[in-house]
Amino acid sequence: SLDGLVNRVGNLNREVHRVAQRMEGIASLMENRKQVLNAIPSLFPVKGWVSSEYGLRKSPFTGKTVVHQGIDIAAERGTDIVAPANGIVRVSGKLGALGRAVVIYHGYGIVTRFGHNAKIHVRKGQRVKRGQIIATGGSTGRSTGPHVHYEVWVNNSPVNPRNFIIDQPPASAIAS
């Protein structure tokens, strides 16, 4: 009957609408997950080798045991440093003992810091993409030679950058 057909078309129309709403929800969820993944500092920021790991170490200046809040990556002066994830530059310039530094806010409470740079190629407030060159390695600030001091902070606390890096460099090449 015509009434039955109209009823079935109405039911199908409501079902199509419900499916479309679910699909929009799934698309929104996927976009959010993509943004979260793009905020995770998963790239190793510079070609070089880790000369000092995260955690307790003897200070090269005082000889006393101190907490090293990042990793030091030995790299020739002028070696490109890249953003390990998408973000917004919060600091681009001198930053105490880090000398010429770049600080990037990636969202979700994640911040990366890069110290001792020779040159900085980004400005405060600039959006950067994962893999974009942000600076070149150097030895500015309190430094014993050309390297990049690299830190990752989550919710205002330093964490080991190696926890995020997908393509891990070799362990420290420090003689014991």
Side-chain angles (χ1 to χ4, degrees):
S1 81
L2 185 58
D3 285 342
L5 184 59
V6 168
N7 196 16
R8 280 190 296 206
V9 168
N11 287 340
L12 281 173
N13 196 18
R14 284 188 289 282
E15 184 60 25
V16 166
H17 183 71
R18 278 195 296 273
V19 169
Q21 283 182 318
R22 279 190 228 129
M23 295 300 284
E24 284 177 24
I26 291 169
S28 176
L29 178 65
M30 294 302 288
E31 182 59 32
N32 184 267
R33 287 200 175 159
K34 180 180 170 188
Q35 289 174 2
V36 170
L37 288 173
N38 284 335
I40 296 171
S42 59
L43 287 187
F44 197 65
V46 65
K47 284 190 170 79
W49 55 276
V50 177
S51 59
S52 185
E53 296 285 356
Y54 174 89
L56 294 177
R57 73 168 186 177
K58 274 193 180 166
S59 166
F61 301 100
T62 66
K64 293 181 179 175
T65 300
V66 294
V67 176
H68 189 230
Q69 294 183 328
I71 59 176
D72 289 341
I73 306 161
E76 288 185 35
R77 191 180 315 275
T79 303
D80 289 339
I81 302 166
V82 299
N86 295 352
I88 298 172
V89 177
R90 292 290 191 234
V91 174
S92 174
K94 292 197 174 167
L95 188 62
L98 291 178
R100 286 190 199 104
V102 174
V103 177
I104 301 172
Y105 176 66
H106 302 283
Y108 308 97
I110 303 168
V111 172
T112 53
R113 298 171 27 134
F114 310 81
H116 312 303
N117 306 304
K119 289 185 182 172
I120 296 174
H121 299 295
V122 292
R123 67 189 182 289
K124 184 177 179 180
Q126 180 178 341
R127 287 192 175 277
V128 294
K129 293 278 192 191
R130 175 184 275 119
Q132 179 179 337
I133 296 169
I134 57 170
T136 56
S139 188
T140 61
R142 194 170 186 207
S143 171
T144 57
H147 74 285
V148 176
H149 175 78
Y150 174 52
E151 297 177 0
V152 175
W153 290 65
V154 177
N155 296 327
N156 299 313
S157 295
V159 295
N160 189 340
R162 288 191 181 268
N163 293 345
F164 299 92
I165 299 167
I166 292 171
D167 187 17
Q168 290 286 338
S172 294
I174 299 173
S176 29

